[in-house]
Amino acid sequence: MEQFQGQNSTPPSGSIDKSRVLEIKPLRCLVPIFPSQPNSTSFNTPQGAAPFVCSSPSGPFPPGAAPFYPFFGVPGSQGPHGHNPQTTPSQTPPFRFNTPVSDAVPINSFRAGDTTPSRKVTRRNAKSQPQDGVAGEADTDAEGVNTRLRKKGSMDPEVDNILTSLNIITLDPARQNDGDKDSVEYALLIFDLLRRKIAQIEDSKGSSPGIIKRPDLKAGTILMTKNSRTNATKRMGSVPGVEIGDIFFFRFELCLVGLHSPSMAGIDYLRVNLEEEPVAVSIVSSGGYEDDVEDGNVLIYSGQGGNLNIDQKLERGNLALKNSLERGKEVRVIRGVKDVANPSGKVYVYDGLYKVEESWVEKGKGGCNVFKFKLIRLRGQPEAFTMWKLIQQWKDAISSRIGVILPDLTSGAESLPVSLVNDVDSEKGPEYFTYVPTIKYSKEANSTDFSSGCACAGGCLPGNQNCDCIQKNGGYLPYVANGVVANAGQLIYECGPSCLCPPNCKNRVSQGGLKVRLEVFRTKDKGWGLRSWDPIRGGAYICEYAGEAIDNSNIEALDRDMDDYLFDATRSCPPILPSDSSEDMKMPFPLAINAKNVGNVARFMNHSCSPNVIWQPVLRTNNKEPDLHVVFHAIRHIPPMTELTYDYGMLPPEKMGRRKKLCLCGSSKCRGFFAI
């Protein structure tokens, strides 16, 4: 079968050049194309036949027909094989967002990340996309860039307002091609902040049949058009600014920092020059194929292409990996592991450099030939995936955590145990205190925000403008999927005792106890600290600051011994983004919390001038008593066993005479001291 449907079809116009060799497409490549008008097709249809024609998903298309999602192209841009002539072979066709999807579309033909869309996306072809490249060429967009996005911004006034407020910086050409730690952190941070805000807006609009919401793709494409990416030059070996053990929750993040360019294919490769065959630069092992990941330092990786009924071929990524074996080239390995907080999602862990030691062909589960590659991790690299496996053994009680003093510091006060660990010195534990999971008010606070609650008996839903709590939050639910906060660093109005919604309401994120497994540990030079056994997604809730609420006006008269455990909400902190144009955080009333004698895990969080955690106030709806809380959210994705720190903040001028303490955060942006 060829694209013009055989001998009885009439071409749209003109005559056929019989000397031209036609590209023949197998039947499985064709999808039905329905005309926009009942009789508008230029193809001759037999009397009484069904009014549709067939065409390759990538075109060309007859008048009145248009490509289905995700094969949208820019009008007039199709090349001889349906690709945009401006894209490289490593790029797939451009996207449009929030576009209805026909029920006739085989949705499993598309995969570009690991969030859960409104329809099921299979991973069978996750490694089968072409992704050729030549050293020195920057991929302008691993997914292709929508021309309308290039010219008109986001096509959404609300998103454009977000872009204005974020004041996204275009990195200079040198840092776009060759990054550093700062440029990598900026690209990832701005992506996640933008993604969360887009998700918040899309959630408020509700769901529509056939609409796939992918805020990650939309945010990533916008940043591509603004050149807010780094390490765009494809390379072998380590990537500047990316550290072994770094984690990612979206495939597009790997692309933005130059770790793995294609956001669908599992194998990335390049040609050093046009005369040589390509070699692999990175692979993603995320469970879509029959990979063997039991050994933390050895990976048996299945090749790309083929399926249960077709043999894999020695081409594209498979050929590149074979060439890497023969030439002894290093390959970056990104391992996908199950996301505990989102069972349908993945966490991608950069596990460092490997070498391909062996390759062979064997029969897969479906009986067809599958290429297998044995990769060995290079020695002397920091632990990454092996640490994940060890932590899982601690959780499953297969092995014991070394240095445990107490298995649960909270004595059952929290929903998850908090270990007390010292594998540094002989210290037996912190000074005694009473563990409480929340703030304790001794008297009524000076507040005018006491109010009646919402009437959402089934729980607050995004977009419900009749919800009083949503109205207080500016018309949006402050949290998106997985309890991630959308408005970092701003006052949040949560549902409280005066609301009719249930305890599992989406607007009660900080009220369900700890969501990640924490441990209080002994640091080498800063006393006790706090870290997590679990990966923490950017914007995710960690804990609140518990203790005794005190009169803010009496802070100066307090015992100096309390300084190390005193939280003063009148302090100001630098914005998350240097370009952040949002207003300073507003507290409904002054608040200070003393956690010396009564407190929780937050009292152990140390200061850093480059923190990975931010605090923000949460006011729960309560018409009887003050209900202001200080909660902590992750600024960025935090790998397991990474110390959790926040900026203690800067005192107002009238309090600058208080004690200062030497800062040991070790950050390149360290101010040298912090006030206590």
Side-chain angles (χ1 to χ4, degrees), residues 4 10 20 31 39 52 115 129 171 226 237 275 283 321 335 374 387 432 479 540 555 557-558 597 615 653 661 671:
F4 290 134
T10 302
R20 182 168 62 91
V31 294
N39 299 312
F52 71 89
T115 55
Q129 309 299 323
L171 297 177
K226 291 183 173 292
E275 287 73 33
I283 61 175
L321 277 172
R335 301 218 190 205
K374 181 179 181 180
M387 175 58 70
Y432 176 80
Y479 302 105
I555 289 180
L558 292 176
N597 300 316
W615 69 270
K661 197 167 186 177
R671 300 192 293 265

Side-chain angles (χ1 to χ4, degrees), residues 233-239 242 258-261 266 268 270 280-284 299 329-335 350-355 375:
T233 301
K234 191 177 291 189
R235 73 195 72 219
M236 290 185 288
S238 301
V239 176
V242 179
L259 192 62
H260 186 81
S261 295
D268 190 10
L270 62 80
V281 294
S282 61
I283 61 175
V284 176
L299 172 63
K329 298 296 185 181
E330 299 170 344
V331 179
R332 297 188 296 271
V333 170
I334 300 100
R335 301 218 190 205
Y350 174 44
D351 201 33
L353 300 177
Y354 283 63
K355 277 196 174 181
L375 293 94

Side-chain angles (χ1 to χ4, degrees), residues 171-192:
L171 297 177
D172 62 75
R175 298 177 80 189
Q176 288 178 31
N177 292 324
D178 298 289
D180 52 25
K181 187 65 176 176
D182 288 342
S183 59
V184 166
E185 287 186 352
Y186 179 80
L188 294 175
L189 181 58
I190 199 69
F191 166 82
D192 202 43

Side-chain angles (χ1 to χ4, degrees), residues 456-573:
C456 305
C460 301
L461 298 176
N464 180 12
Q465 297 304 313
N466 294 321
C467 173
D468 291 340
C469 296
I470 287 180
Q471 286 297 319
K472 292 175 186 176
N473 286 292
Y476 296 103
L477 199 66
Y479 302 105
V480 293
N482 302 311
V484 170
V485 67
N487 302 323
Q490 298 181 20
L491 172 62
I492 294 175
Y493 291 90
E494 277 194 353
C495 297
S498 300
C499 297
L500 298 181
C501 55
N504 63 348
C505 174
K506 293 181 179 180
N507 198 31
R508 294 179 181 265
V509 169
S510 70
Q511 301 172 42
L514 299 180
K515 306 294 192 300
V516 292
R517 180 70 186 270
L518 300 171
E519 78 167 24
V520 175
F521 73 105
R522 187 70 172 175
T523 68
K524 293 182 179 180
D525 53 8
K526 295 180 293 184
W528 298 96
L530 185 68
R531 59 190 176 195
S532 171
W533 289 8
D534 297 318
I536 304 177
R537 183 190 295 256
Y541 168 77
I542 298 174
C543 64
E544 72 167 284
Y545 200 100
E548 298 173 313
I550 59 177
D551 187 345
N552 188 273
S553 62
N554 294 330
I555 289 180
E556 298 298 330
L558 292 176
D559 188 339
R560 288 298 186 188
D561 291 339
M562 295 183 180
D563 284 346
D564 290 337
Y565 304 102
L566 180 66
F567 183 92
D568 185 356
T570 63
R571 301 185 184 194
S572 60
C573 296

